[in-house]
């Protein structure tokens, strides 16, 4: 298994910043088990959420990997999630937790809870598993993905729970995501 921990610790896009906006589009939306100063719903553009990343260490095993979310470049797409204002020391444990192929990337964020006192946009950080990482599984039919998710379990729990919680969190945000809601429906039939 690739370990991206050391690579990420050199990806210091926000060196010298006392605070960073971290944008979550997967489990970070519903499972923020780290300290944060503030959280705000937000979106990024040019990316689509897909269950195309293999999970051998959280929602599956080496023998039976699960599938978790990553982002695929897509012109004009909007991906909704949750942004957390954190201090930089929060990143090191996340680098370890997400070491199976995810790399830090810098992206522009747009907040959706805008008021006159708060900024509308900021630079932010995401963890991205691109198609050249060894755990990338890529495209499959909704049937295939749902079946794989239904059968995968790992140290962090059933893969099914990850998808169900993500879909619920997106509904709560009022966010549209055709891939996720179609997969949730497919999973309910497996
Ligand atoms: C996320 O929710 O954004 C996320 C969680 C784990 C790995 C990568 C991204």
């Amino acid at each position: 298994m690739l370990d991206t921990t050391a690579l990420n610790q050199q990806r210091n896009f926000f060196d010298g910043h006392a605070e960073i906006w971290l944008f979550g589009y997967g489990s970070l939306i519903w499972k923020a088990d780290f300290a944060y100063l503030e959280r705000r719903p937000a979106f990024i553009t040019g990316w689509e959420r897909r269950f195309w990343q293999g999970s051998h260490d959280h929602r599956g095993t080496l023998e039976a990997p699960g599938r978790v979310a990553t982002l695929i470049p897509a012109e004009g797409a909007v991906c909704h999630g949750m942004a957390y204002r954190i201090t930089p020391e929060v990143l090191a444990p996340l680098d370890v937790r997400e070491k199976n192929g995810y790399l830090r990337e810098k992206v522009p964020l747009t907040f959706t809870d805008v008021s006159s006192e708060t900024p509308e946009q900021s630079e932010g950080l995401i963890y991205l598993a691109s198609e050249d990482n060894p755990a990338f599984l890529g495209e499959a039919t909704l049937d295939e993905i749902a079946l794989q998710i239904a059968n995968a379990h790992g140290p962090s729990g059933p893969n099914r729970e990850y998808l169900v919680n993500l879909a619920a969190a997106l509904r709560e945000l009022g966010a549209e995501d055709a891939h996720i809601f179609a997969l949730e429906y497919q999973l309910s039939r497996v």
Side-chain angles (χ1 to χ4, degrees), residues 5 22 37 51 58 63 79 84 96 99 129 149 176 178-179 190:
T5 310
L22 171 66
L37 305 164
F51 267 72
H58 284 296
E63 297 72 35
C79 175
Y84 299 88
V96 175
K99 62 183 183 301
I149 290 174
E176 191 37 65
H179 175 74
V190 176

Side-chain angles (χ1 to χ4, degrees), residues 4-180:
T4 51
T5 310
L7 286 172
N8 271 327
Q9 293 183 0
Q10 274 147 41
R11 296 171 77 82
N12 289 311
F13 302 115
F14 293 95
D15 244 9
H17 290 228
E19 294 175 358
I20 300 167
W21 280 101
L22 171 66
F23 178 79
Y25 60 86
S27 60
L28 293 182
I29 301 182
W30 52 272
K31 189 180 174 201
D33 51 2
F34 50 85
Y36 58 88
L37 305 164
E38 179 188 3
R39 69 176 198 158
R40 298 180 64 189
F43 65 82
I44 58 176
T45 55
W47 297 97
E48 268 172 359
R49 189 174 4 239
R50 289 286 180 270
F51 267 72
W52 290 5
Q53 175 70 358
S55 178
H56 307 86
D57 54 349
H58 284 296
R59 297 287 170 173
T61 59
L62 282 176
E63 297 72 35
R67 277 184 176 256
V68 290
T70 187
L71 297 173
I72 306 299
E75 216 179 301
V78 174
C79 175
H80 286 271
M82 187 61 80
Y84 299 88
R85 189 159 58 84
I86 58 167
T87 51
E89 68 273 10
V90 168
L91 293 179
L94 280 176
D95 291 340
V96 175
R97 183 178 122 182
E98 304 309 338
K99 62 183 183 301
N100 191 21
Y102 288 93
L103 287 176
R104 299 179 188 178
E105 297 290 345
K106 189 176 173 184
V107 292
L109 304 181
T110 305
F111 299 107
T112 56
D113 62 343
V114 174
S115 75
S116 54
E117 296 104 69
T118 52
E120 247 180 81
Q121 290 184 317
S122 175
E123 288 298 317
L125 194 73
I126 57 171
Y127 282 88
L128 177 69
S130 57
E131 62 185 5
D132 56 2
N133 88 84
F136 190 80
L137 297 176
E139 189 165 8
T141 64
L142 288 178
D143 275 2
E144 288 165 338
I145 297 179
L147 195 59
Q148 185 171 353
I149 290 174
N151 290 315
H153 305 258
S156 299
N159 202 174
R160 176 185 289 271
E161 176 188 70
Y162 177 110
L163 173 55
V164 167
N165 287 356
L166 177 58
L170 290 173
R171 252 192 304 277
E172 201 167 310
L173 283 174
E176 191 37 65
D177 192 318
H179 175 74
I180 301 303

